[in-house]
Amino acid sequence: MSNRIQPIATAPQLGALLQGTRKSRKLTQAQLGARMGLSQKRVSELELAPGSLSVDQLLDICNQLGLQLSIQPRDEDQQATDSQQADW
C-alpha cells in the first residue's frame, strides 16, 4: 500500500479500503480479528458494512492495519461535485 492520502466519503469506500489494506498486509479476517478481540465473522461484517463500526473499533482497526485516521476539510472542487450529486 502506498503512502498516499486516500479520501473516504462513503461507508463502502471505507470498507473497501480496510479490506484492501488487510489483504495487502497478508492478514486473514481471522488473524485481524484475533488482534482486535473480534471473531472472523465480525471482521467480515465490518468490512462489508463499516457503518456499524464504533469510533473505538475504527481507530483500533486502523492501528492494527498500520493506518492513521485524519480528518480535514474537503477542497472546494470536491464539495461542489458532492453537492451536485446530492441534488439528483
Side-chain angles (χ1 to χ4, degrees):
M1 194 107 204
S2 66
N3 285 336
R4 65 185 185 91
I5 294 173
Q6 180 65 47
I8 301 293
T10 66
Q13 288 174 335
L14 176 60
L17 175 70
L18 295 175
Q19 181 182 61
T21 303
R22 176 185 56 76
K23 288 180 176 182
S24 75
R25 303 276 194 261
K26 301 194 181 337
L27 289 171
T28 66
Q29 290 174 337
Q31 290 168 326
L32 179 58
R35 290 181 178 191
M36 297 177 66
L38 301 173
S39 68
Q40 174 275 323
K41 182 179 177 182
R42 181 63 180 146
V43 173
S44 175
E45 290 169 353
L46 295 176
E47 289 179 352
L48 294 173
S52 66
L53 274 165
S54 70
V55 173
D56 287 338
Q57 286 175 324
L58 177 58
L59 293 172
D60 189 22
I61 198 169
C62 286
N63 183 49
Q64 297 300 328
L65 294 174
L67 299 172
Q68 72 178 16
L69 182 64
S70 298
I71 298 175
Q72 62 188 36
R74 285 188 251 171
D75 63 42
E76 291 181 20
D77 293 337
Q78 183 63 41
Q79 288 177 359
T81 301
D82 289 349
S83 176
Q84 290 171 353
Q85 290 175 351
D87 290 341
W88 289 15

